[in-house]
Amino acid sequence: MDTITYFKKRFEELQAHPVDGHIKSMRDSAFAEFSQTGIPTVKHEEWKYTRINDFFSKDYHFSTDIKEQQLTAQDLAPFQIPGHEDANLVVFVNGHFNRELSHTRSEELEILSLQEAAGHEKYAPIVKEHLGHSADYHRDGVNALNTAFIQEGVFVHVFRSKEASHPIYLYNVTDARRGNIFAQPRCLIHVAENAKVQIVETYITLGADESFTNQVIEVAVEQDAIFDLYKIQNDAPNSKLVSTTHVHQTGKSIANVVTVSLNGGLIRNNLNMVMSAEYCEANLFGLYLGDQHSHMDNHTVVDNRKPNCLSNELYKGVLNGNATGVFNGKIFVRQDAQKTNAYQSNRNILLSDNASVNTKPQLEIFADDVKCSHGCTVGRLDEEALFYMRSRGISEKAATALLLHGFAQDILEKIQHVTTREFVEQLVADKLHL
């Protein structure tokens, strides 16, 4: 059975589940687009260096029935992030929101299913306005497939003029203990005027069979709000991930996203920062440490639509073994976006002859009063620094690890949530064998 025929059958099964009219309309349109475009191949420019269509030829179980979930809190316990007991918890299992494992501790926010939010008098206009906007930047079958199967997604609302007293820990769990699993979690986050929230996100694959997660998170950040997102990607080698994060700054606000990719068979991150108001600030920081046969791909878009906005973007990669890396960063400065300041840099270290990286920073500027820069570097470890450390009695292995940790440190320090930063620093140290 070919891919489109397979998902058509699953889509027909999904139609038996009642859903809000707006969501149903979105699903129908998205499935029509998926049926027309299919899964992108390397002939698609945005997927030139990342081959995913081969994975869809495998036998994955894709469920439209949330009742099939069998995960317990004990299953999740070994993978808990420090601070788990005090955090707001949002848990997806095989792409479905699991209410039993989720928990809201902060009175400053509310967590509902997308279906509940779409039928809520207060939240329905927010869902209608912001759900699905990531498709404006990702016209491909992968994004469309997620939208076509919106079912048990999550809606997070941070109340106006409130700072969430606890961070939100977002767990994406794939239970591959009894077969290959295809999961499609969906999340819409609304940070109201003058609100503030921190979100820590991670990915977990249970079992030895293969998992494929196709995730979409859409965020609306209103006037004077602050939004922080820390993505920790430290999954198993049998995992495949396509993660699309779309942040829309609708008022003067600050958005910070730090993405740390450490382990996983294939990782593709799509990150959009859309600044639709004056004086917005967007910060995008990424660290990827690849080894063996891992593949780590970061595609970013910073869209400056209004004047006087600032964006900072720095991604760093260390690749060893047969690992491959991809960085494609686009900055758009629209005609009305005068006095834009936008900076982008991608720096890479290759530790083996078989490791490789494809990097492509891009600027498209349609305004004349701007300050923009971009650049990339690909090289080896600093031989002089390595020689100096070895001459002081430090072993080559320890010296290499220390230099690489120093290379990564200016990304790690961007994580403002102390507990999470310390946790990620330890993961990086373990990866570098410090």
Side-chain angles (χ1 to χ4, degrees):
M1 186 184 299
D2 67 76
T3 303
I4 293 178
T5 302
Y6 171 80
F7 282 108
K8 182 178 181 181
K9 185 176 180 180
R10 302 285 83 79
F11 189 70
E12 290 170 352
E13 294 172 359
L14 185 65
Q15 300 295 64
H17 300 277
V19 70
D20 170 78
H22 176 66
I23 293 179
K24 184 180 186 306
S25 177
M26 285 186 59
R27 293 198 315 200
D28 291 344
S29 298
F31 191 78
E33 182 174 346
F34 167 72
S35 299
Q36 182 178 3
T37 60
I39 300 300
T41 68
V42 292
K43 294 181 180 180
H44 190 297
E45 182 63 29
E46 294 299 308
W47 294 87
K48 184 176 181 180
Y49 300 109
T50 300
R51 184 186 299 274
I52 65 166
N53 57 311
D54 290 350
F55 299 123
F56 285 86
S57 64
K58 298 183 179 181
D59 183 19
Y60 285 99
H61 176 65
F62 175 58
S63 173
T64 58
D65 188 357
I66 190 175
K67 295 178 182 178
E68 292 187 10
Q69 294 184 10
Q70 299 179 10
L71 197 71
T72 66
Q74 288 71 31
D75 294 324
L76 186 61
F79 304 95
Q80 291 175 355
I81 303 171
H84 173 94
E85 297 79 7
D86 299 322
N88 302 284
L89 306 179
V90 174
V91 181
F92 284 95
V93 180
N94 294 347
H96 299 283
F97 177 39
N98 187 302
R99 297 172 184 269
E100 288 71 27
L101 297 176
S102 302
H103 187 79
T104 305
R105 290 185 167 87
S106 296
E107 61 181 14
E108 301 87 2
L109 56 83
E110 188 166 10
I111 300 173
L112 303 171
S113 73
L114 264 178
Q115 173 71 4
E116 290 171 332
H120 193 288
E121 181 180 0
K122 177 181 178 181
Y123 300 134
I126 298 173
V127 173
K128 189 172 183 179
E129 180 179 0
H130 295 291
L131 187 66
H133 278 198
S134 59
D136 297 338
Y137 294 82
H138 299 285
R139 310 296 297 185
D140 60 54
V142 180
N143 186 278
L145 190 62
N146 182 289
T147 300
F149 285 90
I150 290 177
Q151 187 183 5
E152 200 64 20
V154 165
F155 174 80
V156 177
H157 174 75
V158 188
F159 297 133
R160 180 179 179 180
S161 299
K162 298 292 184 180
E163 178 177 349
S165 54
H166 303 282
I168 299 173
Y169 281 12
L170 178 57
Y171 293 93
N172 296 283
V173 185
T174 308
D175 189 354
R177 292 176 292 186
R178 289 172 290 274
N180 301 335
I181 296 294
F182 182 76
Q184 298 202 104
R186 184 72 175 231
C187 193
L188 176 62
I189 301 167
H190 182 251
V191 189
E193 182 179 345
N194 199 36
K196 182 178 181 180
V197 67
Q198 292 180 318
I199 297 179
V200 183
E201 181 186 21
T202 193
Y203 305 81
I204 301 162
T205 296
L206 303 177
D209 291 318
E210 292 200 24
S211 73
F212 195 121
T213 300
N214 176 28
Q215 175 204 38
V216 176
I217 298 178
E218 293 168 320
V219 186
V221 188
E222 304 290 355
Q223 180 77 19
D224 296 321
I226 300 176
F227 171 73
D228 293 340
L229 173 61
Y230 308 120
K231 300 172 76 72
I232 307 170
Q233 298 168 337
N234 189 39
D235 208 348
N238 54 317
S239 66
K240 314 293 184 295
L241 170 66
V242 177
S243 175
T244 298
T245 304
H246 180 84
V247 181
H248 187 192
Q249 296 176 258
T250 61
K252 179 178 74 71
S253 56
I254 299 174
N256 305 302
V257 179
V258 182
T259 304
V260 179
S261 305
L262 301 178
N263 289 295
L266 178 143
I267 298 173
R268 163 67 177 247
N269 292 308
N270 300 312
L271 174 58
N272 309 328
M273 305 290 268
V274 182
M275 293 181 279
S276 294
E278 287 193 70
Y279 299 103
C280 285
E281 179 181 334
N283 298 295
L284 305 77
F285 301 105
L287 175 68
Y288 46 100
L289 306 180
D291 56 13
Q292 299 180 17
H293 292 276
S294 63
H295 180 89
M296 298 177 174
D297 179 352
N298 287 283
H299 269 60
T300 66
V301 173
V302 178
D303 191 353
N304 296 270
R305 297 186 169 200
K306 296 294 181 179
N308 299 297
C309 290
L310 168 67
S311 65
N312 290 293
E313 181 174 5
L314 174 61
Y315 274 70
K316 288 188 168 186
V318 178
L319 301 167
N320 200 2
N322 293 290
T324 55
V326 181
F327 175 81
N328 188 313
K330 296 180 181 178
I331 296 176
F332 295 102
V333 182
R334 307 297 180 178
Q335 188 172 0
D336 292 338
Q338 302 293 340
K339 300 189 182 301
T340 288
N341 291 329
Y343 307 100
Q344 179 191 88
S345 179
N346 175 228
R347 303 172 190 170
N348 298 277
I349 294 176
L350 303 183
L351 297 178
S352 77
D353 293 336
N354 293 326
S356 63
V357 63
N358 295 282
T359 179
K360 185 181 179 182
Q362 297 174 263
L363 288 175
E364 294 190 24
I365 301 174
F366 302 96
D368 51 18
D369 186 9
V370 302
K371 293 181 180 179
C372 298
S373 67
H374 66 164
C376 65
T377 59
V378 180
R380 301 286 184 177
L381 205 59
D382 188 333
E383 293 292 340
E384 289 188 9
L386 188 62
F387 175 80
Y388 176 83
M389 296 178 73
R390 293 194 65 190
S391 69
R392 296 308 188 266
I394 302 174
S395 69
E396 182 176 3
K397 182 178 179 181
T400 299
L402 287 169
L403 288 174
L404 293 177
H405 193 271
F407 178 75
Q409 189 58 41
D410 56 349
I411 301 296
L412 300 179
E413 67 185 14
K414 303 301 182 183
I415 301 176
Q416 298 299 312
H417 186 244
V418 177
T419 302
T420 301
R421 183 174 67 248
E422 292 175 348
F423 173 64
V424 176
E425 286 178 337
Q426 187 58 55
L427 290 177
V428 171
D430 292 344
K431 179 83 173 181
L432 298 176
H433 306 293
L434 273 173

